[in-house]
Amino acid sequence: MKARLIFFSLIILLTSCEDVIEIELNYMEPKLVIEGVITDSDNQCVIKLSKTADYFNKKTNPAVTDAVITLTDNKGRIVNFTEVEPGIYSEESVQAKPDINYTLTILSEGNEYEANATIPRKVNIDSLTCKYNSESIFYEVGYVVSCHFSDPGAVRNFYRLKTYNINDSTHARSSEDIYNDDMFNGNKVELAWSYDVFQQSDTVVVELYTLDAQTYEYYKTLFQISGGDEMMSTTTPANPNSNIKNGALGYFGAYTISRDTIIISPSRLSTTGNK
Amino acid sequence: MKKIQILFLLILFISTCEGMAQQKYTISGYIKCSETGEALTGATVIIKELNKGAMANAYGFYSITLPEGKHSVQYSYMGRISKTEDIELKGNINNNVELQQASVEIAEVVIVSEASNKNIKAPEMSVIKISPKDVVSIPVIFGEQDILKTIQLMPGVASSGEGNSGFYVRGGGADQNLIILDEAPIYSSAHLLGFFSVFNSDAIKDMEFYKGNAPANYGGRLSSVLDIQMKEGNAKKVSASGGIGLIASRLTVEAPIVKDKGSFIISGRRTYADIFLPLWHDPAAKETKLYFYDFNAKANFKINDKNRIFLSGYFGRDVFRMSDLIGFNWGNKTATLRWNHIFGNRLFLNSSLIYSDYNYGIGYNVGEVLEVTSGIKDYNLKEDFQYYINTKNTLNFGFNAISHTFRPGELNSDNEEFYNSKTIGKKHAGENAVYISHKFDLSDRLKLNYGLRYSNCIVLGPDTVHTYNGNDEITSSAFYKKGEIIKDYGILEPRLTLNYIVNNKMSVKMSYARNAQYLHLLSNSTVSLPTDIWISSSKTIKPQIADQIALGFFRNFKDNMFESSIEVYYKNFQHQIDYQNGAEIILNENVESQLVFGKGRAYGAELFIKKRTGDLTGWIGYTLSRTERSINEIDYGAWYPVKHDRTHDVSIVLMYDFNDKLKVSANWVYNTGNAVTFPGGKYVIDGVIVPAYTNRNGYRMPAYHRLDLGVTLTNKKREKFESSWNFSIYNAYARRNTYSISFRENVNDPSKTEAVRHSLFQLVPSITYNFKF
């Protein structure tokens, strides 16, 4: 529930002052960060390893090289990863399928890390429509794209939505649009990311990710501490809940991607859900 | 059964502890204000030759038992002309007394009378008693003398700062304060943004505030008791008072129902903070509504000398609405019916029937209109007996039975096609207590107030109760029928205060108290939100328990012109609640799976010096303290400071009376910033910079300090009409106090990260015109 949204709106209203200040932070021993994702698309699995850097340090995080990474599925098949670039390990021959439990094992600098993930059943986008927004407090003038799909009632589903202009794919990276199906389980759903608007003739790509439960949990706790411009956190900050054992930061995520495109024009306007 | 028998025997034993064979009789009655007929709580009755005295209770009733014969009885109350009556005691006497308000010249003299070293003589400690009539004590903030604001200027009480409601007493959480208005519990004590308390001071007669060691007749919250009595209303003539101001306006009307027998009072207040919003730069501000209102009403009637009834009620609401998109509102409503009965002339009974309701609603329009509501409702029966055995012994006993109904959350969607409505079922619990306490003068110098309270909490069905494992999965479920007992907790709470009076100017006090708390406020945020949820103890959630021990040294100087004290305390907390990382509290049927439990401890020293008389009055308070917690799931059980741990807390309040017309006040506060969690490093996920955290609350926000100034100009007093103007400025030197700190990527250079401070209010002015007739 977006209770925090309400509170932010009140505080943004009243925050007459915002300024950058100097803060001294204590030294923290660099920690290993594992960013690993397995999906059903592209038959590829990419794992990135790096170390944390000082918070106010301008340099990028150092890559961690020479790690030994293997992926095992519940049938015992093992796949080894090759380091294609410093800190980036990938494997091309992974045929990731839903409902199979994958175990990732990483051996780096004498420590072993392990994580499990299962790819969920894919939920596909049924259709895309667009809606015109005239000026209002939160939204700029333009078209908002909605994604329509049917949520399977029998299981608990978790989603992430990325909506972006085909020419600007990097912007959508930080999309925090995540959902669980508690409020709409089993229904036909319409989801829209209202904070990005598009103009007529834009080609917009919508990606509906179906996430596994641990990946949703990771993103949920990740977005509470990062991303966005005015991220004024009200919950007590802590590192996100990760499925990686033995104290590394990052996660081993699993999801499916359903992709669709729409060219904005008045003929694709949505007629449902309009108030 | 056994417990009642013991209680009975105890009462019998103590009441026979009279000693002397000499015949004794009782003088009893009510002490009231002669101008309005209001009862004078805490008025004293003193027989100098015998060095004995008594105090009027919250209803102005006193009872003093003396040997037969002639006595010179002096009745006094702060700021009033004392009355001495020569009474020949040959039988029990009913003597009602009215005391007149002293004019300003006489007031100076009266203040230095015996009653003025009450802080030395009274057996209570860590208690603050304020009456709005005690005009010399309270600074004016935003044109009002706000009692809640004033106690936050006392040592040991930390304010939660701007934008937050709630306060912290000796390290206790914001939900650990029992606030009762005419016996009814108030669940949210501050209006929006914490600028105004929910109590309209014009309607308040008296307030008593205990910092954790209240006597046994109080219970249910760990850290403090704020017991507020509303005025009864002028029983002699119609009178009104009020104020019209830049931010808020208020009006109070009082009148007799039957002269000297019954009266009523109605009081209302409304703010219009939204009047300021257009001053802020945000265009969104124009379509925003932000206001609150509250309303107090009370009527009382004296049936005869032994019976009196009271009916009082409170209703308050806060409203915030941002055009059509978002809105929320919340508030308390209470009603109390009370009956005072006097048995004989030494046993006083107050019987109360109470209703209290706190709820909130959040509405948002995101295409569909969604509404979330939540609340708590109480029905309460209370019986309190006060038995004035003799001048050395007073016995208080009684019981309290509360029926709580919790509405943890309801979601109503007007478009079921997309969003399903959802209701988390109501929960029920009974909270009951029985107590007895004994105020006993061991000797002329040693006074004791000890008691025992036995409280319990019975959680009832209908409900489906789950238990969870470490991964938030349900491990078992059980369904309970309506009225079936799910869980039952019972806790003994001993209380003790000891006062050793060294001499007229000096005393040493010591106290110990155990408190149990069965209700908990769930709030997973670093700022307090009115959308925090009240829940009951359950199979998973054990009652919170606190043990507090305190020691204090009290000394008055220069003929009671200066009051000073130093108190040290140590407090131990059990079953404190904290949240898992990423906890979902709102509309979660399984909210108990998101909670983690552990222990806490708090200790500190409080220094206080007050100047009570003269042109310059005021006080300085300083608290040095530490409050920390240890929870297995957080930092592996290491002790960490709680958010509101304030190492240093300073309050300086000064009031200067230039003359009849001009009065100036200033208050300066300083406190160490809240404990916060800052990152130790950073890394990148999916192209976005993420902070890496280490210890919980390992850092501090910058220190908070602020100066408020006020000027009161009193107009010439006309025959029946008084008026004054008050001008005040909040945060006079415009300090940017930190409301919160966030970390973000630099707008111009995303590879660079920076810390951003958000501050709220600087230089908030207020002008109020106050009147009274």
Side-chain angles (χ1 to χ4, degrees), chain B residues 683-702:
Chain B
Y683 55 102
V684 173
I685 295 280
D686 215 6
V688 175
I689 297 185
V690 182
Y693 293 102
T694 51
N695 303 342
R696 165 82 65 114
N697 289 351
Y699 290 89
R700 291 282 164 168
M701 300 262 251

Side-chain angles (χ1 to χ4, degrees), chain A residues 1 6-7 16-19 21 26 28 35 53 55 57-58 61 183-184 187 220 232 234 239 241 275, chain B residues 280 362 364 367 418 420 525-526 529 581 584 681-682 686 693 699 736 743 749 753 755 757 759-760:
Chain A
M1 285 318 289
I6 301 153
F7 198 68
S16 48
C17 250
E18 189 189 282
D19 56 327
I21 55 172
N26 299 331
M28 182 182 91
E35 188 181 354
Y55 191 75
N57 192 334
K58 258 196 98 161
N61 296 72
M183 295 223 298
F184 50 68
N187 297 345
K220 185 182 76 169
M232 185 166 29
T234 57
N239 292 323
N241 294 337
K275 291 275 185 303
Chain B
W280 271 282
I362 310 175
Y364 29 152
F418 293 137
N420 304 331
S525 76
T526 51
L529 295 175
N581 189 18
E584 288 180 41
K682 66 175 175 199
D686 215 6
Y693 293 102
Y699 290 89
R736 288 202 181 158
F743 295 87
D749 180 4
T753 40
R757 169 179 61 193
S759 4
L760 292 182

Side-chain angles (χ1 to χ4, degrees), chain A residues 1-3 5-7 9-21 23-28 31 33-35 50-59 61 136-139 160 162 173-174 180 182-185 187-191 216-222 224-241 249-251 272-273 275, chain B residues 163 192-193 277 280-282 284-285 287-288 290 320 322-323 325-326 328 362 364 366-368 370 372 411 414-420 422 524-530 581-584 586-587 677-694 696-697 699 702 736 739-744 749 751-762:
Chain A
M1 285 318 289
K2 299 194 172 71
L5 172 64
I6 301 153
F7 198 68
S9 52
L10 176 61
I11 290 304
I12 286 168
L13 204 56
L14 295 162
T15 305
S16 48
C17 250
E18 189 189 282
D19 56 327
V20 176
I21 55 172
I23 287 189
E24 224 180 274
L25 296 175
N26 299 331
Y27 174 75
M28 182 182 91
K31 285 198 173 135
V33 181
I34 300 171
E35 188 181 354
S50 60
K51 280 274 177 77
T52 57
D54 282 342
Y55 191 75
F56 292 118
N57 192 334
K58 258 196 98 161
K59 299 192 221 131
N61 296 72
S136 68
I137 293 175
F138 286 123
Y139 317 130
R160 182 179 184 186
K162 285 193 184 178
R173 285 249 202 101
S174 56
N180 64 35
D182 281 353
M183 295 223 298
F184 50 68
N185 192 31
N187 297 345
K188 277 197 181 334
V189 188
E190 176 187 342
L191 295 177
Y216 170 79
E217 182 66 24
Y218 181 76
Y219 287 147
K220 185 182 76 169
T221 47
L222 177 71
Q224 279 171 1
I225 60 168
S226 75
D229 306 309
E230 288 298 328
M231 201 54 220
M232 185 166 29
S233 177
T234 57
T235 47
T236 311
N239 292 323
N241 294 337
L249 292 166
Y251 72 122
T272 55
K275 291 275 185 303
Chain B
L192 198 60
L193 309 177
L277 293 175
W280 271 282
H281 43 74
D282 207 296
E287 296 174 55
T288 300
L290 180 64
F320 166 67
M322 195 178 234
S323 80
L325 295 167
I326 285 174
F328 65 110
I362 310 175
Y364 29 152
V366 287
E368 293 73 39
L370 299 174
V372 177
L411 169 69
D414 74 340
N415 188 341
E416 296 277 338
E417 205 185 301
F418 293 137
Y419 291 107
N420 304 331
K422 182 174 175 181
N524 186 16
S525 76
T526 51
V527 299
S528 64
L529 295 175
N581 189 18
E584 288 180 41
I586 299 189
L587 279 181
T677 311
F678 283 162
K682 66 175 175 199
Y683 55 102
V684 173
I685 295 280
D686 215 6
V688 175
I689 297 185
V690 182
Y693 293 102
T694 51
R696 165 82 65 114
N697 289 351
Y699 290 89
R736 288 202 181 158
Y739 172 75
S740 111
I741 290 185
S742 52
F743 295 87
R744 65 170 188 211
D749 180 4
S751 67
K752 181 165 171 243
T753 40
E754 55 192 15
V756 179
R757 169 179 61 193
H758 302 266
S759 4
L760 292 182
F761 309 113
Q762 291 115 52

Side-chain angles (χ1 to χ4, degrees), chain B residues 219-260:
Chain B
R221 304 283 189 276
L222 299 186
S223 294
S224 76
V225 173
L226 180 59
D227 186 351
I228 304 174
Q229 296 282 339
M230 265 185 75
K231 277 188 191 163
E232 288 129 34
N234 196 327
K236 310 228 174 203
K237 62 177 179 41
V238 177
S239 77
S241 63
I244 303 169
L246 209 54
I247 301 181
S249 290
R250 58 192 205 282
L251 177 65
T252 302
V253 175
E254 333 172 28
I257 296 175
V258 174
K259 188 161 187 242
D260 279 327

Side-chain angles (χ1 to χ4, degrees), chain A residues 8-254:
Chain A
F8 284 173
S9 52
L10 176 61
I11 290 304
I12 286 168
L13 204 56
L14 295 162
T15 305
S16 48
C17 250
E18 189 189 282
D19 56 327
V20 176
I21 55 172
E22 293 292 315
I23 287 189
E24 224 180 274
L25 296 175
N26 299 331
Y27 174 75
M28 182 182 91
E29 194 68 43
K31 285 198 173 135
L32 179 67
V33 181
I34 300 171
E35 188 181 354
V37 170
I38 184 167
T39 79
D40 65 334
S41 325
D42 314 324
N43 285 335
Q44 202 191 47
C45 183
V46 179
I47 315 283
K48 295 185 193 163
L49 296 187
S50 60
K51 280 274 177 77
T52 57
D54 282 342
Y55 191 75
F56 292 118
N57 192 334
K58 258 196 98 161
K59 299 192 221 131
T60 52
N61 296 72
V64 171
T65 55
D66 301 324
V68 178
I69 303 184
T70 54
L71 184 72
T72 320
D73 69 11
N74 55 359
K75 295 214 167 80
R77 288 190 284 256
I78 300 180
V79 164
N80 293 309
F81 283 68
T82 19
E83 188 169 355
V84 296
E85 273 173 53
I88 300 182
Y89 305 75
S90 82
E91 177 43 54
E92 300 272 325
S93 67
V94 176
Q95 301 261 349
K97 293 208 168 23
D99 293 339
I100 296 183
N101 191 311
Y102 293 93
T103 305
L104 184 73
T105 317
I106 300 175
L107 218 74
S108 170
E109 293 174 359
N111 294 315
E112 189 173 305
Y113 305 90
E114 198 184 272
N116 292 304
T118 311
I119 295 194
R121 295 269 176 94
K122 184 165 178 168
V123 175
N124 286 302
I125 297 178
D126 289 340
S127 63
L128 298 179
T129 56
C130 58
K131 209 180 339 182
Y132 184 73
N133 255 350
S134 47
E135 170 134 34
S136 68
I137 293 175
F138 286 123
Y139 317 130
E140 290 164 31
V141 183
Y143 290 85
V144 166
V145 175
S146 302
C147 157
H148 301 258
F149 61 94
S150 299
D151 175 82
V155 280
R156 218 178 158 211
N157 303 91
F158 306 93
Y159 304 101
R160 182 179 184 186
L161 195 67
K162 285 193 184 178
T163 312
Y164 56 94
N165 188 315
I166 201 168
N167 301 321
D168 174 34
S169 59
T170 54
H171 180 72
R173 285 249 202 101
S174 56
S175 165
E176 297 171 30
D177 218 7
I178 57 170
Y179 305 86
N180 64 35
D181 66 359
D182 281 353
M183 295 223 298
F184 50 68
N185 192 31
N187 297 345
K188 277 197 181 334
V189 188
E190 176 187 342
L191 295 177
W193 179 242
S194 317
Y195 295 84
D196 280 325
V197 292
F198 304 96
Q199 306 308 325
Q200 194 151 351
S201 312
D202 280 349
T203 304
V204 178
V205 180
V206 175
E207 292 176 346
L208 179 69
Y209 290 64
T210 310
L211 314 168
D212 96 326
Q214 289 173 105
T215 307
Y216 170 79
E217 182 66 24
Y218 181 76
Y219 287 147
K220 185 182 76 169
T221 47
L222 177 71
F223 298 144
Q224 279 171 1
I225 60 168
S226 75
D229 306 309
E230 288 298 328
M231 201 54 220
M232 185 166 29
S233 177
T234 57
T235 47
T236 311
N239 292 323
N241 294 337
S242 162
N243 59 346
I244 299 182
K245 299 180 193 126
N246 203 12
L249 292 166
Y251 72 122
F252 177 41

